[in-house]
Amino acid sequence: GREALALVEQHWSPRIYTNRVTRPSRRPIKMPLRTRVTDLLKIDHPIIQGGMHHVGYASLAAAVSNAGGLGTITALTQRTPELLRDEIRKCKALCQHKPFAVNFTLLPSLAPPDYQAYADVIVDEKVPVVETAGRNPGQWIAFFKKHGITVVHKCVAIKHALTAEKLGADCISMDGFECAGHPGENDVGALVLLAKAAEKLTVPFVASGGVGNGRQLAACLALGADGVNMGTRFMATKEAPIHDGIKKALVNGNEHSTTLVMQSLGNTERVFKNDVAMEVRAIEEKNPGKIEAIRHLVSGENYRKSFQETGDANSSVWSAGIVMGLIDDVPTCDELIKRMVRDAETIIKQRMNSLVIPRSRL
């Protein structure tokens, strides 16, 4: 009758053309977003928690994986390969038989860690997915693939992505200029980077850098990505094993709360804008290319203390992304992922669908 017709008209009203995203928080997710990445990684939702130094521990990785995403332990946060083994086993115990990953980053260093020993632990513990990053990954992509491990390689340029694809990477994580940490030296934002990746790559790829909500998840899927990778946004969750003072800084910050350091070294890093970061910039301006002039300020041990001990966001140089402009709460990983998927589904099924006008048959 008229009541049923009114309900239909109400549901399909022009309100869906607005920018507001309906959030049916009590409605279960009936139709998870299925992509090449969910199939490849055997996860429920196309959302990955990327590797993060002094953040990517078992507790966070398990929380993300149990929520249907892919959580990631950061290998080199563990001081020794055997400590990594302990962390992997801890994650297995927490993970409810869900897949998780280990981040394996190749760092430029005068005294590199024993990468082979770390890689052997990953293989011994039968970790299903490895996120590789850094220079010259070919040896390690081949090694992990030989042992049946799925490899997601993170890179910041299309040419590097194509090389990783040729080397056998199963998936690419395309890191845009918006990202926390190392965005590369070319300053290419996600809008161009993702669209070009969709044209050039054959393997699945995920969007990384600046992502924090369901609206962006829908946008990344529209640009051709098969999912998203998030770091900074997962730092501002209840399960993130960092001090509440850092989480508060992320909530209080905005898209203008980062700066770039180490540009003169060709190793640019996007970090939280504070007095220490600005001091690094000032020193670099006077002493370009001299790591010894800033080493005492950019030491990883400094921000380990900020994250794990003091919670003082202003006492060290630490990676953070401009996604801070979209962080206004500290939910659980489960709440965050479910909210993102619901919002993306609403946009895809309602707003985007409503923009397509059926062609006249005349």
Side-chain angles (χ1 to χ4, degrees):
R2 292 182 178 178
E3 292 181 356
L5 180 60
L7 285 172
V8 172
E9 290 176 345
Q10 181 182 17
H11 180 72
W12 293 104
S13 73
R15 287 181 301 150
I16 56 179
Y17 284 88
T18 69
N19 287 326
R20 183 175 178 272
V21 177
T22 304
R23 291 187 176 176
S25 59
R26 296 179 182 176
R27 176 175 62 83
I29 300 175
K30 296 179 181 178
M31 294 178 62
L33 302 169
R34 181 178 179 182
T35 71
R36 292 185 297 172
V37 159
T38 59
D39 289 349
L40 174 68
L41 304 180
K42 297 178 175 59
I43 55 179
D44 296 328
H45 310 303
I47 298 173
I48 298 172
Q49 168 245 317
M52 293 175 283
H53 216 31
H54 302 306
V55 183
Y57 294 97
S59 56
L60 177 59
V64 173
S65 288
N66 287 336
L70 184 76
T72 304
I73 294 170
T74 304
L76 294 185
T77 288
Q78 304 301 321
R79 295 189 308 277
T80 69
E82 287 307 308
L83 287 174
L84 173 61
R85 189 187 304 277
D86 293 341
E87 200 69 15
I88 290 171
R89 290 180 176 179
K90 186 185 301 182
C91 193
K92 288 178 181 177
L94 294 170
C95 242
Q96 303 173 13
H97 306 292
K98 297 281 190 175
F100 64 93
V102 170
N103 168 272
F104 187 84
T105 297
L106 304 164
L107 300 171
S109 174
L110 294 176
D114 187 348
Y115 287 116
Q116 187 63 60
Y118 280 93
D120 288 341
V121 167
I122 292 169
V123 170
D124 290 346
E125 293 299 322
K126 296 180 171 57
V127 174
V129 182
V130 167
E131 177 192 60
T132 56
R135 300 170 185 174
N136 302 317
Q139 170 190 351
W140 302 108
I141 291 175
F143 178 77
F144 291 124
K145 292 275 290 181
K146 182 176 70 175
H147 290 91
I149 296 174
T150 299
V151 176
V152 179
H153 183 68
K154 181 182 288 187
C155 46
V156 297
I158 298 297
K159 67 177 181 178
H160 298 149
L162 290 169
T163 298
E165 184 179 69
K166 290 177 183 177
L167 290 171
D170 300 287
C171 179
I172 301 296
S173 182
M174 290 303 317
D175 232 357
F177 184 61
E178 301 88 341
C179 72
H182 299 284
E185 310 305 316
N186 295 319
D187 303 357
V188 179
L191 201 60
V192 170
L193 193 65
L194 299 180
K196 189 161 186 178
E199 292 182 355
K200 298 295 184 179
L201 296 176
T202 301
V203 297
F205 72 96
V206 296
S208 182
V211 179
N213 65 26
R215 186 183 299 280
Q216 292 173 298
L217 172 56
C220 291
L221 295 175
L223 283 165
D226 296 281
V228 297
N229 177 85
M230 303 192 304
T232 304
R233 187 60 187 94
F234 276 121
M235 288 172 66
T237 58
K238 285 185 168 60
E239 295 93 343
I242 58 176
H243 200 287
D244 284 346
I246 301 299
K247 299 179 187 182
K248 184 177 179 180
L250 293 172
V251 172
N252 292 339
N254 58 42
E255 64 270 29
H256 305 294
S257 298
T258 73
T259 190
L260 300 172
V261 298
M262 297 196 290
Q263 287 179 294
S264 70
L265 297 164
N267 191 33
T268 300
E269 183 172 4
R270 184 180 298 281
V271 300
F272 184 73
K273 186 189 290 185
N274 58 25
D275 289 344
V276 183
M278 298 313 290
E279 183 180 354
V280 170
R281 286 178 60 89
I283 293 173
E284 275 196 87
E285 191 171 335
K286 295 178 181 177
N287 302 275
K290 295 183 179 179
I291 183 64
E292 61 273 14
I294 59 173
R295 190 189 302 275
H296 63 294
L297 296 174
V298 299
S299 165
E301 176 61 15
N302 294 351
Y303 76 84
R304 185 200 65 77
K305 289 180 180 178
S306 297
F307 281 13
Q308 305 298 331
E309 297 177 12
T310 69
D312 185 354
N314 298 306
S315 63
S316 64
V317 177
W318 52 278
S319 296
I322 62 174
V323 71
M324 275 190 285
L326 297 171
I327 296 176
D328 55 16
D329 63 351
V330 182
T332 66
C333 291
D334 187 69
E335 290 167 344
L336 174 61
I337 289 174
K338 282 184 169 57
R339 183 170 72 197
M340 286 182 63
V341 173
R342 288 190 188 106
D343 287 357
E345 182 185 353
T346 298
I347 290 170
I348 293 167
K349 293 174 65 177
Q350 293 187 24
R351 186 172 193 275
M352 300 306 293
N353 187 56
S354 73
L355 298 177
V356 180
I357 307 301
R359 295 186 179 185
S360 172
R361 295 182 179 179
L362 298 178

